[in-house]
Amino acid sequence: EWIKMGGKFTFSDDSHGIAQVATNYARGLDYLESLGVTELWTLERVPHPGTAGDVKSELRDKAVTIAEFRQSLRLEQ
C-alpha cells in the first residue's frame, strides 16, 4: 500500500553495539527488492547559495539505487 501511495524508504539502525551495525541490512534490501522497490532516500547537505562550506547549508532528499546503497556498505552476499 505504501508503495502505491508513492511512499519513500530509507534505512536506519537500532543496534545496541557497534558489532551489530547493519547486521540485517542485506536481508532488508532483498525484501525491499522483492516488493519492487528500486531506490532508497537519504539526505544530502547542499551549501546555501552565497555561503562558504557548511554555513547555512540546506538538506535535500536524494534518491540512491539499492545497488548503490549495497556497494557503499560493502555487504557480503
Side-chain angles (χ1 to χ4, degrees), residues 2-65:
W2 182 250
I3 296 169
K4 290 178 187 175
M5 294 170 43
K8 297 177 181 180
F9 292 87
T10 190
F11 262 61
S12 65
D13 199 302
D14 189 28
S15 297
H16 293 258
I18 196 161
Q20 291 82 33
V21 172
T23 298
N24 290 302
Y25 272 23
R27 288 175 49 199
L29 293 169
D30 291 343
Y31 176 70
L32 288 175
E33 286 178 319
S34 77
L35 297 175
V37 176
T38 58
E39 59 191 13
L40 301 170
W41 290 81
T42 188
L43 295 175
E44 178 179 47
R45 188 178 304 272
V46 180
H48 191 276
T51 62
D54 288 340
V55 176
K56 295 187 178 181
S57 59
E58 299 176 2
L59 291 177
R60 295 187 186 157
D61 57 346
K62 175 183 175 181
V64 294
T65 66

Side-chain angles (χ1 to χ4, degrees), residues 29 33 37-40 64-74 77:
L29 293 169
E33 286 178 319
V37 176
T38 58
E39 59 191 13
L40 301 170
V64 294
T65 66
I66 288 180
E68 289 175 293
F69 186 68
R70 277 186 197 275
Q71 185 176 5
S72 73
L73 297 172
R74 298 184 185 116
Q77 294 189 7

